[in-house]
Amino acid sequence: MRLAEEKGTIMTEEGLQRENERLQRLITELEQRCTELQDKLALFQYTIDALPQTLFWKDCDLIYRGCSQRFADFAGCASPEELAGKTDYDLAWKPEESEAFQADDREVLKTARPKYHIMETQRHADGTETWVETSKAPIRAPDGTILGVVGIYEDITERVLAEQAEALERQRIIEEQAATLEQVSTPLIPIAEGLVALPLVGSIDGQRAQQVMETLLEGIAHYRASIAIIDITGVQTVDTQVAQALVQAAQAVRLLGAQVVLTGIQPPIAQTMVHLGVDLQGIVTRSTLQSGIAYALEQGNIHIFRGMYTS
């Protein structure tokens, strides 16, 4: 009879056979368990691959231990298995991008607290760039030990581009409205050949005073006007700033060889201008816009446009 020695005991051939059978059952159970684990791992991989977000995780040394297929594609790897064991510096990111990613990871590991909604740009293996919104959190063992960091991000490029386009459109509309308001607030009207009028309405601040000056000078040059009427009937108050703007406009007009006629001065404004000591020397004043036009026509060098009345 064949004998075998194991751990100081003598086994019969029959006992050895039973032991072999037991070991074979264990191997079969282990193979089944391994298959089950592989199936569960595959199902987990399928699950994270199906998410609209992209998932990855690293150990405490910031070495990748797993990811979704989408992340592997972004990183230039054929599969999550190929990515495992690499760091950010081994992938297709720029060095400054890798450092930024790991800086966030180190912060999460150090504070042991999640970090939400990190806006980042991501460069793909093919050189294209996208916007992503990332959240990261520490991975904990049941006893609370930090095992690594997990990150999940979503491609928000379409949203960012839409927001940027919307912002540009809003800015365009604002600029168009501002230009329209500027034109409306300082409308230069050609009354006759050689005569323009600029009726002002509302308040006048420093910016609008500059617009008045520019509009008036450009209009005189464009229409080759010899007389410019500034009508302030719609201006409710005149302070030092407004008065200085009117005087400066008249001085600038004279430099172009033209003359300013100021119309629409109401009694309260007249009193204010006297009180402020405004020097209107060289500026012709008339009570109304109509009388200002009549004055300009009397100068003899103004020709009414065809279709308008003649005198």
Side-chain angles (χ1 to χ4, degrees):
M1 181 179 293
R2 295 173 57 189
L3 301 177
E5 182 176 353
E6 181 180 356
K7 297 181 181 179
T9 62
I10 304 298
M11 297 183 64
T12 64
E13 184 174 352
E14 182 180 355
L16 184 59
Q17 183 177 356
R18 287 196 299 269
E19 181 66 16
N20 286 337
E21 292 174 351
R22 186 183 70 84
L23 291 176
Q24 187 61 47
R25 286 194 300 272
L26 286 176
I27 291 174
T28 301
E29 291 175 0
L30 287 175
E31 288 177 344
Q32 292 176 346
R33 181 60 176 163
C34 183
T35 299
E36 292 174 357
L37 290 175
Q38 289 176 342
D39 291 342
K40 289 182 178 180
L41 181 60
L43 180 60
F44 172 75
Q45 187 68 50
Y46 298 151
T47 302
I48 65 174
D49 288 345
L51 292 173
Q53 295 81 16
T54 302
L55 190 69
F56 62 89
W57 57 95
K58 307 174 183 178
D59 60 23
C60 290
D61 294 323
L62 304 185
I63 298 174
Y64 284 100
R65 292 305 179 189
C67 67
S68 62
Q69 182 61 49
R70 186 179 293 107
F71 186 85
D73 294 338
F74 287 163
C77 296
S79 65
E81 291 75 19
E82 182 180 335
L83 178 72
K86 298 181 184 295
T87 70
D88 289 295
Y89 294 99
D90 299 322
L91 302 178
W93 328 134
K94 296 177 182 178
E96 57 269 24
E97 291 175 330
S98 298
E99 178 55 35
F101 297 156
Q102 293 208 351
D104 289 329
D105 297 338
R106 288 191 291 268
E107 181 180 349
V108 170
L109 293 174
K110 181 178 179 180
T111 62
R113 297 168 63 180
K115 190 171 183 180
Y116 300 108
H117 307 308
I118 309 168
M119 294 287 290
E120 300 171 330
T121 54
Q122 186 179 71
R123 186 166 67 89
H124 300 254
D126 60 3
T128 59
E129 287 189 348
T130 55
W131 282 90
V132 296
E133 187 175 69
T134 306
S135 296
K136 295 181 178 181
I139 302 173
R140 298 178 184 271
D143 62 0
T145 302
I146 303 297
L147 302 178
V149 59
V150 59
I152 184 170
Y153 69 82
E154 186 172 4
D155 188 333
I156 58 171
T157 303
E158 184 175 345
R159 189 181 82 192
V160 170
L161 293 178
E163 290 175 351
Q164 290 176 346
E166 184 179 350
L168 289 175
E169 180 63 15
R170 285 198 303 268
Q171 182 63 29
R172 184 189 66 80
I173 293 174
I174 290 173
E175 291 176 354
E176 287 184 354
Q177 291 176 340
T180 301
L181 289 174
E182 179 179 340
Q183 294 175 357
V184 171
S185 64
T186 55
L188 187 73
I189 304 173
I191 301 297
E193 186 177 347
L195 174 62
V196 294
L198 184 65
L200 301 178
V201 179
S203 60
I204 300 178
D205 56 14
Q207 180 178 356
R208 192 178 178 200
Q210 182 64 31
Q211 292 175 358
V212 168
M213 178 81 74
E214 294 175 356
T215 300
L216 192 60
L217 297 181
E218 290 175 1
I220 289 173
H222 178 75
Y223 292 107
R224 299 181 180 178
S226 58
I227 297 179
I229 299 174
I230 301 178
D231 181 68
I232 62 172
T233 304
V235 177
Q236 301 301 317
T237 59
V238 171
D239 56 15
T240 303
Q241 183 180 39
V242 175
Q244 289 177 346
L246 294 174
V247 173
Q248 290 174 354
Q251 293 172 344
V253 168
R254 284 201 297 270
L255 291 176
L256 294 181
Q259 181 185 18
V260 165
V261 178
L262 185 61
T263 65
I265 301 177
Q266 305 300 316
I269 293 180
Q271 293 178 3
T272 301
M273 296 180 75
V274 170
H275 177 72
L276 293 174
V278 178
D279 184 9
L280 296 179
Q281 184 177 0
I283 302 177
V284 177
T285 61
R286 290 294 184 271
S287 60
T288 65
L289 176 59
Q290 291 82 354
S291 60
I293 295 175
Y295 165 80
L297 295 176
E298 292 171 357
Q299 303 311 300
N301 57 349
I302 302 299
H303 304 284
I304 301 298
F305 290 138
R306 180 178 299 178
M308 296 183 66
Y309 66 89
T310 58
S311 61

